[in-house]
Amino acid sequence: GGLIVDGEPFFPFGFYCYSPVQKSIAEEETVNGFNMMSPYQKLEDKTLDARRDYMDRCARLGMKVHYNLLSVAGGGGVGSGRPGDLTPHQKRVLLAKEIEEFKDHPALLAWYVSDEPVGHGFPPEALIDMYNFIRKLDPYHPLTIVFMTPAKAREYADAMDIVMADPYPVPTYPVTDVGRVTARLKKEFLMEKPVWIVPQAFGGNESWRREPTAAEIRSMTYQALVKGATGIQYFVRHGSNFFPKSVVAWNECSNIAHEVAELTPELTQGTLVSNVKSPTSGIYVRALKYKDYLTVIAVNVKNKPVKYQIQLDQTYPDKYARLIFENRKLRLNGRTINDMIEGYGSKVYKIRLKKELAGIRSIHSENMFYNSGFEEFHSPGLVSGVYARNHGGPGATYFLDSRVSYEGAHSIRMVTPVDKKGVGLSFYPIVAKVGYSVTLSIWAKSKKEGPAWEPFEPNFLKRLIEYSFGFNQSQRFKMGLAGIAYKEFELTTEWKNYEMSVFIDSIPGRTARLNPSIELLTKGTAWFDQLEVYPDMELSSTVRDTIVEVKLKNIKGKGEIYYSIDGSMTDIPYSKSILISKSMELNAAIIDNGEEKGRLRKDFVIHEGLGARLVFKYPYSRRFRSSGSKAATDGQIASSYYRDGLWLGFLEKDVVATVDLKKTILLKEINVSFLQYLRQYILLPQEIEFSISMDGKNFETVYSVSDTSQFSLGQMPNKKSYTAYLKNKEARYLRIEAKNHGTTPEWLSPAGKKIWLFMDEIIINNKKGQ
């Protein structure tokens, strides 16, 4: 009852439009979720180039065409008539020429041969003869006929492969005519021919006093889906506000297009569960089992809200039904769904069939990326956690695809109409550490292309160079991390894993975010799934008296770790803990078959306060607490990235930290660093003071400064050190006091915003390496 297109199940969801085809309509409507269009047209030699143009544009966009042959095939249709002086032979010549021109075109979906033949007086015999003629020229693409009198459709069964109907009830007849007509055709042609429905999306003249409302369009369309239609083609679209005149109405058509795209696997491959019903009057229900879920579709055919009930066929282990287009879930009452539906509304519920889901591949245990399998979405067709940048190609798309996946139930399908003019996707940022490398990993594949096809390019020299030197012979994509690093890859037509290692030396840009990104660089279609970001190495450290013991772990799993502690090449094989006894920079690398596959660089400072206990008068924030009370004496130095895990953050509170050195020492140098980052309302202290004590009660101030440099530092992150140099000062206790602004100063907006203080390591008598 459905179609397989390019190797995947395909639910045609489109519209009629007029000729000449509006130049931007294909680009506009493919972004709106439509995958098919059907222009009314006269087949004339003088307009052949115009037909080639819109077919080529549709192919670039991944949109299919329900190709109109009415003027020389079966007649009928708006503006499709031919002058009466053409003989049947002349029409056949034109028909054969048109089919030969476009039968191998990648945009072609089906041949539309007759519109309402009963009303236009075209007998079945003539159309059966036409069917056989077209079949000899093109045995692969289906033929369609649209009926305004569905009761007569059986007489034309041998003249078509797909049966269509165009009930237009609004405002004279009930909207239930659509469900009734669909059910009749499905019963008549069950297991024989697909049924497509043409919902009404026009009105205001002729026999129709007005257009249908958005709600009526929704009810009519969902009635067709519930009764088993496997194709939708609205009459009629003429943008931007001609048909339908209501922008709201056409927006609703677009909304439904996205919803049907998500439901395509169920609608085309699901197993019907006939004993799921609603006892509530005016509620139509269809239930389909597909893979691990029961999907229940409900539509209200009445123009009033209704409390209703759906009776399931059995009790399921899942206690909730998820309403996938409403971002909510509903607790099941045993075998019953109880809910409310708006007038002419629709609902779609998904219920797990079993506790464990099939097809879910394991995600790396150290993965830092949100929504790796692209399973979470809150609006149909759009994966959660992504921004998009258009690089100049109208009609470039990046939809969730529920038909194709490497793992789980979704992938992202990207279509780039023109080389380097697609869409770049920037995903929700990860939180990573400066000085570490991370691996970006994604699974991807490109679309298998059919017969060789290339749209006409006016630049002959450009085409010749590309052909001669093999340019654009394969699809490529780019993956990267924020503004740090990017890498291009060549796609294959089978799922393949692509990965790259990125060393995070600093966090670039004003926003200080690490966003994974992908972009399909070359024209065509590709799918992406299971994006993961994980660190290549892990470092842990323990303070032992006057040294820091460091342990490294190879998270990547491949290769061996080599390191250095003197700034030279990483050539020492790592086998056990590294003992650090002087301030230094540790460098490590994962080497696999002679290639570097991961890197780590970490600054350690060894000082006489190492491992000392701190007592804070005011608590640090749970959001920014690093390793806790000893974070400021663990020997690790924070970067200028506020989320690197080594800063202690204090919101609106002063820093008053007392360090117990456990013994009396001669103080020579005291140093502490703070962070300023205006975009996150992290400011340097207004004032900072160091004081020392022998008994922990009586303190002597040895350093005090007011910081007036805030305003001039700008928007970028700045790390500033405060250092006191002392002579002949002995003490056991040290106190660091830093005054918070509390709320935004007058030169920073908005007023009243709480201010952060971020403090790094308290360094006492730094033991610098020689």
Side-chain angles (χ1 to χ4, degrees), residues 559-578:
E560 301 295 333
I561 297 176
Y562 293 82
Y563 73 96
S564 76
I565 56 175
D566 58 3
S568 62
M569 294 183 62
T570 50
D571 55 1
I572 305 172
Y574 174 79
S575 59
K576 57 181 181 180
S577 300
I578 303 169

Side-chain angles (χ1 to χ4, degrees), residues 94-149:
L94 285 173
L95 177 61
K97 182 178 178 181
E98 199 75 8
I99 291 171
E100 289 295 336
E101 176 72 33
F102 293 111
K103 69 178 184 179
D104 292 325
H105 199 288
L108 179 64
L109 180 70
W111 301 113
Y112 178 28
V113 296
S114 185
D115 184 278
E116 302 177 347
V118 177
H120 289 97
F122 292 98
E125 293 76 18
L127 290 176
I128 292 171
D129 179 61
M130 187 66 65
Y131 175 90
N132 293 327
F133 176 76
I134 295 173
R135 268 276 162 262
K136 289 180 181 179
L137 296 173
D138 176 13
Y140 301 111
H141 293 90
L143 276 66
T144 68
I145 298 178
V146 177
F147 294 91
M148 63 178 293
T149 51

Side-chain angles (χ1 to χ4, degrees), residues 454-473:
E454 194 68 30
F456 175 70
E457 290 279 3
N459 190 330
F460 173 77
L461 183 60
K462 175 177 179 289
R463 287 186 292 127
L464 179 63
I465 292 173
E466 289 181 352
Y467 177 80
S468 301
F469 292 93
F471 296 162
N472 297 335
Q473 297 300 303

Side-chain angles (χ1 to χ4, degrees), residues 267-555:
L267 294 172
T268 58
Q269 301 172 88
T271 301
L272 182 66
V273 184
S274 58
N275 52 345
V276 173
K277 302 180 183 298
S278 174
T280 309
S281 174
I283 303 298
Y284 295 176
V285 172
R286 188 182 189 195
L288 299 159
K289 286 185 178 179
Y290 179 73
K291 290 188 175 178
D292 295 326
Y293 287 93
L294 173 72
T295 299
V296 182
I297 305 170
V299 61
N300 185 1
V301 302
K302 295 182 178 181
N303 191 18
K304 63 179 182 179
V306 176
K307 286 184 177 180
Y308 70 103
Q309 185 179 92
I310 297 174
Q311 296 172 347
L312 303 176
D313 59 321
Q314 65 182 66
T315 302
Y316 291 93
D318 195 349
K319 301 304 179 185
Y320 290 90
R322 181 186 171 208
L323 287 95
I324 60 173
F325 302 137
E326 300 179 32
N327 191 29
R328 69 181 176 99
K329 62 183 181 179
L330 186 70
R331 188 172 182 85
L332 296 174
N333 184 12
R335 294 172 56 177
T336 304
I337 296 174
N338 294 299
D339 204 358
M340 175 173 275
I341 191 169
E342 61 272 25
Y344 291 144
S346 64
K347 303 285 182 184
V348 178
Y349 307 89
K350 294 195 83 167
I351 303 168
R352 273 194 192 184
L353 298 178
K354 49 190 177 182
K355 292 182 179 180
E356 298 297 326
L357 298 181
I360 302 296
R361 299 175 187 265
S362 61
I363 302 295
H364 196 286
S365 60
E366 301 290 336
N367 174 50
M368 299 180 288
F369 178 64
Y370 157 75
N371 200 14
S372 281
F374 306 136
E375 300 303 323
E376 183 177 316
F377 66 93
H378 296 89
S379 295
L382 176 65
V383 66
S384 295
V386 67
Y387 278 171
R389 295 186 303 274
N390 189 293
H391 295 292
T397 52
Y398 51 99
F399 290 131
L400 271 183
D401 197 329
S402 58
R403 307 166 306 156
V404 180
S405 65
Y406 171 74
E407 65 85 36
H410 295 90
S411 65
I412 294 178
R413 181 183 71 249
M414 298 183 72
V415 177
T416 295
V418 179
D419 287 350
K420 297 183 179 180
K421 291 188 177 182
V423 172
L425 298 184
S426 176
F427 294 99
Y428 194 76
I430 63 167
V431 177
K433 297 178 181 179
V434 173
Y436 290 71
S437 68
V438 296
T439 288
L440 277 70
S441 170
I442 198 165
W443 289 82
K445 73 170 185 173
S446 64
K447 175 182 160 186
K448 294 180 180 178
E449 298 296 340
W453 166 82
E454 194 68 30
F456 175 70
E457 290 279 3
N459 190 330
F460 173 77
L461 183 60
K462 175 177 179 289
R463 287 186 292 127
L464 179 63
I465 292 173
E466 289 181 352
Y467 177 80
S468 301
F469 292 93
F471 296 162
N472 297 335
Q473 297 300 303
S474 62
Q475 284 183 266
R476 299 181 66 81
F477 80 98
K478 180 171 70 173
M479 178 166 62
L481 185 62
I484 298 176
Y486 297 97
K487 185 177 180 180
E488 291 188 16
F489 301 90
E490 187 171 306
L491 287 160
T492 68
T493 56
E494 301 296 332
W495 284 112
K496 181 181 175 182
N497 183 240
Y498 301 87
E499 64 176 43
M500 62 183 291
S501 182
V502 178
F503 181 68
I504 303 171
D505 190 33
S506 63
I507 309 297
R510 295 174 61 194
T511 58
R513 288 196 292 260
L514 292 171
N515 302 89
S517 66
I518 57 173
E519 178 186 351
L520 182 61
L521 297 171
T522 47
K523 59 190 172 189
T525 303
W527 290 266
F528 300 87
D529 201 358
Q530 194 166 319
L531 173 60
E532 299 170 278
V533 186
Y534 53 87
D536 294 322
M537 274 185 280
E538 183 180 90
L539 180 148
S540 60
S541 65
T542 305
V543 174
R544 301 191 185 282
D545 296 326
T546 59
I547 65 171
V548 176
E549 181 182 7
V550 175
K551 293 183 179 180
L552 302 176
K553 181 180 178 181
N554 184 348
I555 296 177

Side-chain angles (χ1 to χ4, degrees), residues 555-608:
I555 296 177
K556 200 177 189 75
K558 302 174 183 177
E560 301 295 333
I561 297 176
Y562 293 82
Y563 73 96
S564 76
I565 56 175
D566 58 3
S568 62
M569 294 183 62
T570 50
D571 55 1
I572 305 172
Y574 174 79
S575 59
K576 57 181 181 180
S577 300
I578 303 169
L579 301 179
I580 298 176
S581 58
K582 61 183 179 181
S583 299
M584 51 154 288
E585 179 183 275
L586 172 66
N587 286 276
I590 297 174
I591 306 298
D592 186 23
N593 292 324
E595 293 186 24
E596 184 180 295
K597 297 295 185 179
R599 195 164 21 130
L600 180 150
R601 186 186 67 224
K602 190 66 186 171
D603 288 326
F604 287 92
V605 58
I606 306 301
H607 57 92
E608 293 192 59

